[in-house]
Amino acid sequence: MTTRAAAAPRAQTRASQNRLLAALVDAFQQPDIRRKLLFTFGMLVVFRFIAHVPLPGVDREVLDAAFEGDAVLGFLDVFSGGALRNLSVASLGVYPYVTASIIMQLLIPMVPRLRALSQEGQYGRQRIQIYTHWLCVPVSFIQGYGQILLLNSGTGREVISIGFSGEELLPTLTILFSMTAGTMFLVWIGELITENGVGNGISIIIFGGIVAGLPGFIGQGVVSDVGFGGLFLLAVVSIALVALIVLFQEAQRRIPVQYARSMFRGGRMYRQTGATHIPLRVNSAGMIPLIFAFSIMIFPSAAAGAIASGESGFFQDFADFIADITNPERGLYWLLTFILVVIFTFFYTMVIFQQQNLADNLQRQGGFIPGIRPGRPTHEYIIRVLTRITWAGAFFLGFVAVVPYFASLFVDVNNSLRISATGMLIVVAVVLDTMKQLESQLLMRNYEGFIR
């Protein structure tokens, strides 16, 4: 009996693996799905080529020196897939577009015109998308200029010479236009992937940039003096973190909803009822709070570096104080990051909830939560439930943000080897979303998918 009981889980595992392999084979046997997968892979190859096209006038020696021991630049380079270390035309990645999208989402509930557009269906969403593209251009200019200032402030020499006076004006505009063009080209590739490939194109581009840095990460771990024990501990932490991310990404609280409909049959009116649920995700905000928090923590450090390089006296002391507080080597930096992530998780979750108008939509469709009156009581009930489960999501995201610091306490690694838990969150979320889309494509063709 014991042998049979032990053999049953192994048989189930082998069956699951066989189903996964069969689903992969079925996906490639379908011409349309195979075409989508190959198109997505081809666009990622184009992205990696663009990531190695350098900007004009870059001093390679100074650029390499700027990255030595700088945790901020190392963090940014992870998300650019090495494009920042090469200072290529794609060094900004698609993050100006992400920033523009976040700004638009925050403006929609505050600007009446945008709020009206968001309620006009497909046409309104298309117009908001166009406005987001327009906003992405100046955001790319600003972020590109700030990124170069950050690189130049890392050392006493200039990585690339920029300025808006005299002979430096035209080269500076050329550089900023090149970086903006690279960002918009990646956004265009992302939209092509969304339309003709598999998954969300912008997320796939971010995913490709992060995954492209994994070979270098592993290579540095092999040649470093961390040792086998340190690398083994990092591997265990990474696997445990992936499992935790999957758990919280898929966790949700289901609120039961009933619908009552009236219909005439045989000259009589009958009342029919149906039941469903509202899935409230524990992590409704996704990775946005992490991007907000790290952006805010990086800005004071960059500004302090720029001030310290050209001032003396009080300003020099103040800049040194700010740089010391926002130094990733200190625990205070990660404590502030944790607090910001928790705050932004609640803020962004509530912004998204207000835009969905769940209570009003339920009331218009004849739905109600058992025991809760429609309208404002339903809205207050959902807010109360969402607030409770968001505490778990907020602390989870805060933990993901500070994992690199705690990992460095047990393993003596340099900045380039620290685990980018934020990057892992993005990778896992994109993989789950892409698998679900493939699952839906296969189920429409009567095939078993990846997820059971």
Side-chain angles (χ1 to χ4, degrees):
M1 293 295 293
T2 304
T3 304
R4 292 182 179 179
R10 290 197 296 268
Q12 293 178 358
T13 301
R14 286 195 297 270
S16 299
Q17 293 174 351
N18 293 334
R19 284 194 299 268
L20 176 62
L21 294 177
L24 287 173
V25 173
D26 292 336
F28 275 95
Q29 286 180 348
Q30 293 297 311
D32 53 343
I33 298 180
R34 182 173 64 247
R35 184 173 59 253
K36 291 181 178 181
L37 291 173
L38 294 177
F39 180 84
T40 302
F41 178 76
M43 290 295 99
L44 287 176
V45 172
V46 173
F47 161 56
R48 294 313 303 161
F49 274 114
I50 296 299
H52 289 83
V53 177
L55 291 171
V58 178
D59 190 330
R60 298 297 309 179
E61 295 182 359
V62 180
L63 180 62
D64 294 337
F67 274 88
E68 293 182 0
D70 194 319
V72 174
L73 293 179
F75 174 80
L76 294 176
D77 185 58
V78 168
F79 292 98
S80 67
L84 179 58
R85 186 176 291 272
N86 298 324
L87 201 55
S88 71
V89 295
S91 58
L92 292 176
V94 294
Y95 289 98
Y97 177 80
V98 174
T99 303
S101 300
I102 295 172
I103 293 174
M104 289 299 299
Q105 289 181 357
L106 297 178
L107 288 178
I108 286 175
M110 295 185 292
V111 180
R113 173 59 179 166
L114 293 177
R115 185 167 62 250
L117 274 177
S118 65
Q119 299 173 357
E120 293 184 9
Q122 183 66 23
Y123 170 77
R125 288 191 294 269
Q126 289 178 353
R127 295 302 303 175
I128 292 176
Q129 187 76 358
I130 292 174
Y131 295 155
T132 304
H133 289 164
W134 290 349
L135 182 60
C136 182
V137 175
V139 171
S140 299
F141 264 83
I142 296 172
Q143 289 192 3
Y145 185 70
Q147 188 178 87
I148 294 176
L149 287 180
L150 179 62
L151 288 171
N152 288 340
S153 64
T155 60
R157 300 153 57 192
E158 290 186 340
V159 174
I160 186 170
S161 180
I162 59 173
F164 292 99
S165 61
E167 298 180 353
E168 294 181 339
L169 176 60
L170 187 58
T172 300
L173 292 178
T174 302
I175 292 169
L176 295 181
F177 270 112
S178 299
M179 299 176 76
T180 302
T183 294
M184 299 308 296
F185 182 73
L186 294 183
V187 171
W188 179 64
I189 289 179
E191 293 185 347
L192 287 179
I193 292 176
T194 302
E195 295 175 3
N196 305 310
V198 178
N200 181 279
I202 300 299
S203 299
I204 292 292
I205 293 294
I206 299 175
F207 166 83
I210 296 174
V211 172
L214 290 180
F217 178 88
I218 297 174
Q220 291 176 6
V222 173
V223 302
S224 66
D225 57 353
V226 175
F228 176 78
L231 290 178
F232 178 76
L233 180 59
L234 288 177
V236 171
V237 172
S238 301
I239 294 174
L241 189 60
V242 169
L244 188 65
I245 290 173
V246 173
L247 176 64
F248 275 88
Q249 282 293 112
E250 297 299 304
Q252 57 182 231
R253 165 72 183 277
R254 297 184 176 184
I255 297 180
V257 175
Q258 292 185 355
Y259 289 90
R261 297 191 180 115
S262 301
M263 60 179 300
F264 285 96
R265 181 180 297 173
R268 295 183 178 182
M269 178 179 289
Y270 295 90
R271 192 170 184 85
Q272 295 182 339
T273 59
T276 182
H277 63 270
I278 301 175
L280 296 181
R281 303 183 71 89
V282 173
N283 181 23
S284 302
M287 62 183 177
I288 300 302
L290 293 169
I291 296 176
F292 272 171
F294 280 111
S295 298
I296 290 179
M297 293 303 297
I298 287 173
F299 176 76
S301 177
I307 293 175
S309 61
E311 299 291 342
S312 60
F314 171 77
F315 291 101
Q316 175 74 38
D317 296 338
F318 179 74
D320 292 339
F321 173 74
I322 297 297
D324 184 62
I325 292 178
T326 57
N327 183 5
E329 301 291 339
R330 294 175 58 86
L332 181 60
Y333 170 89
W334 297 101
L335 176 61
L336 293 176
T337 301
F338 180 87
I339 295 174
L340 286 176
V341 168
V342 172
I343 293 174
F344 283 129
T345 301
F346 277 95
F347 172 75
Y348 193 75
T349 298
M350 294 306 165
V351 168
I352 296 299
F353 173 75
Q354 295 294 339
Q355 294 179 12
Q356 292 176 344
N357 296 323
L358 290 179
D360 295 339
N361 292 334
L362 278 177
Q363 190 172 12
R364 283 196 296 266
Q365 296 172 6
F368 62 94
I369 300 174
I372 307 296
R373 296 180 58 187
R376 186 170 183 81
T378 298
H379 176 82
E380 293 175 350
Y381 174 77
I382 297 177
I383 282 285
R384 187 163 59 252
V385 174
L386 187 63
T387 302
R388 291 176 179 176
I389 65 176
T390 301
W391 277 110
F395 281 110
F396 158 70
L397 290 178
F399 172 75
V400 168
V402 301
V403 159
Y405 173 71
F406 288 104
S408 66
L409 294 179
F410 297 97
V411 182
D412 185 16
V413 296
N414 54 32
N415 294 319
S416 60
L417 278 177
R418 287 186 175 174
I419 300 174
S420 177
T422 306
M424 294 178 63
L425 174 64
I426 296 173
V427 169
V428 173
V430 172
V431 170
L432 289 175
D433 181 65
T434 305
M435 288 177 61
K436 288 178 180 179
Q437 291 200 24
L438 281 176
E439 171 81 4
S440 63
Q441 293 285 336
L442 291 171
L443 288 178
M444 286 192 300
R445 293 161 180 81
N446 298 323
Y447 287 108
E448 286 193 7
F450 300 104
I451 305 172
R452 288 183 64 84

